[in-house]
Amino acid sequence: MEFRTLGKTGFKVSEVSLGTWQLGGKWGTPFDPKDARDTLEEAYDRGVNFFDTADGYQDGQSEKVVGEFIKNHPDVHYTTKIGRKEVPLDIKHFDPAHLDRYVDESLKNMGTDSLDMVLLHCPPMMNYYMPETFFEMDKLKKAGKIQNYGVSVERVEEGIKALSYDISTVEIIFNMFRLRPADLFFDLAKKNNVGILARVPLASGLLTGKYTANTKFAPEDHRTTNRHGEQFDKGETFSGVDYLTGVKAADELKHRLGTDNLAGMALRFILMYDAVSAVIPGASNPTQIERNTTAAELPAFTDEKMEIVRDVYDKYIKNPVEYLW
């Protein structure tokens, strides 16, 4: 495992880390704390030293199990996200009173006096023009309740605006089906010494190359319930790509890249960008950890393969995805 610096935090984090949205159970299934603990241990054994959670994941259970894990492994780092566990999402969830409460609840869940890093969890665009939101995070940092803070964003423009504040990290959707961040945002983040966490790296599984037109998902899975943004931004489900279009694009990528391991190559593609501090694929059980972590060992992409990704993106994905996010 190779390690990269996470922006102003100075943390040396595994370039393949772990997102915990589906920790301890697939989307829409009950949380299994044993599976969650086993998954974290497997990731750690394979060199992962950074974990991304949120107060709303599994109704706080993800924070609790990550917090327990950290007590036994003090050499690891983590971020948790706040502001999205109450629905519908509203700008008021990022006012000073809400932020103070959310941070206190996360501190309690994780069993610590100070949080490594807190990300505002996809605030509405208007919040980026409400400086009191970010100034409150500065106060929490000065008080020692948090060590660093940043934002998880839906759109490139939100990431750019967030650079106006004293953030350490931006978590953004970036993958073979979402290339615009590399074109518009990465250089700006590097100039500001802001780390980048690449989320939704496999486009909700489309970039495993294993899905077909007939694949069915669980009734409560967001891949069933949020295809048109019924619950939250549709860009978080299949990266906003029309499902059947995504299946075709993934099949073409497999063929043209000459691989049966599209998931691994999709993660390795993201690591081609030195602005990315870590990619954070999820895993619902320990068996998926090997697939994720071994991606870092794959050969670097050639210029020809990078061009194939761009060509498939332009052919299938760019319109309308690039213009929406």
Side-chain angles (χ1 to χ4, degrees), residues 59-281:
D59 194 28
Q61 294 181 94
S62 176
E63 277 190 329
K64 290 176 182 178
V65 76
V66 171
E68 292 171 2
F69 182 83
I70 290 162
K71 290 178 183 177
N72 297 319
H73 302 84
D75 55 325
V76 305
H77 296 290
Y78 62 90
T79 186
T80 192
K81 301 185 289 295
I82 61 171
R84 196 166 143 177
K85 63 181 176 182
E86 299 180 59
V87 293
L89 186 68
D90 192 275
I91 60 171
K92 70 182 181 183
H93 297 149
F94 299 90
D95 67 23
H98 278 84
L99 295 177
D100 290 351
R101 175 163 64 85
Y102 293 151
V103 165
D104 285 342
E105 289 169 352
S106 289
L107 286 167
K108 182 178 179 181
N109 277 346
M110 301 195 75
T112 184
D113 295 324
S114 184
L115 300 165
D116 267 8
M117 182 158 59
V118 173
L119 302 182
L120 303 179
H121 201 173
C122 299
M125 188 65 180
M126 183 57 67
N127 282 112
Y128 294 90
Y129 295 88
M130 300 170 69
E132 60 269 25
T133 292
F134 296 86
F135 294 165
E136 189 63 23
M137 299 302 287
D138 291 329
K139 291 178 183 178
L140 290 165
K141 184 177 177 180
K142 186 175 182 180
K145 288 189 174 183
I146 63 176
Q147 299 302 310
N148 304 274
Y149 75 92
V151 290
S152 181
V153 303
E154 302 287 7
R155 292 171 173 80
V156 168
E157 284 75 14
E158 293 165 352
I160 293 172
K161 180 59 179 173
L163 295 175
S164 303
Y165 304 101
D166 189 26
I167 62 170
S168 297
T169 300
V170 170
E171 188 175 284
I172 191 167
I173 297 175
F174 178 62
N175 57 49
M176 288 175 166
F177 287 169
R178 188 73 76 85
L179 299 185
R180 188 166 177 251
D183 297 335
L184 195 61
F185 178 64
F186 283 6
D187 284 345
L188 291 173
K190 286 174 65 177
K191 289 176 182 176
N192 284 272
N193 193 24
V194 168
I196 291 174
L197 299 175
R199 68 187 186 102
V200 196
L202 298 178
S204 308
L206 271 178
L207 285 168
T208 64
K210 296 179 179 180
Y211 296 168
T212 70
N214 299 317
T215 301
K216 301 295 182 184
F217 302 98
E220 296 182 3
D221 191 316
H222 74 98
R223 293 171 293 186
T224 299
T225 61
N226 192 60
R227 291 195 183 188
H228 305 289
E230 295 91 335
Q231 295 175 294
F232 40 81
D233 192 294
K234 69 178 182 179
E236 296 195 34
T237 300
F238 302 128
S239 292
V241 177
D242 169 74
Y243 178 73
L244 293 179
T245 301
V247 169
K248 291 179 183 177
D251 285 345
E252 183 162 328
L253 282 169
K254 284 173 61 178
H255 174 71
R256 293 180 62 181
L257 293 173
T259 184
D260 289 324
N261 181 22
L262 184 60
M265 292 199 73
L267 297 177
R268 184 66 183 88
F269 168 80
I270 293 170
L271 296 177
M272 292 296 295
Y273 294 84
D274 62 1
V276 172
S277 305
V279 57
I280 51 172

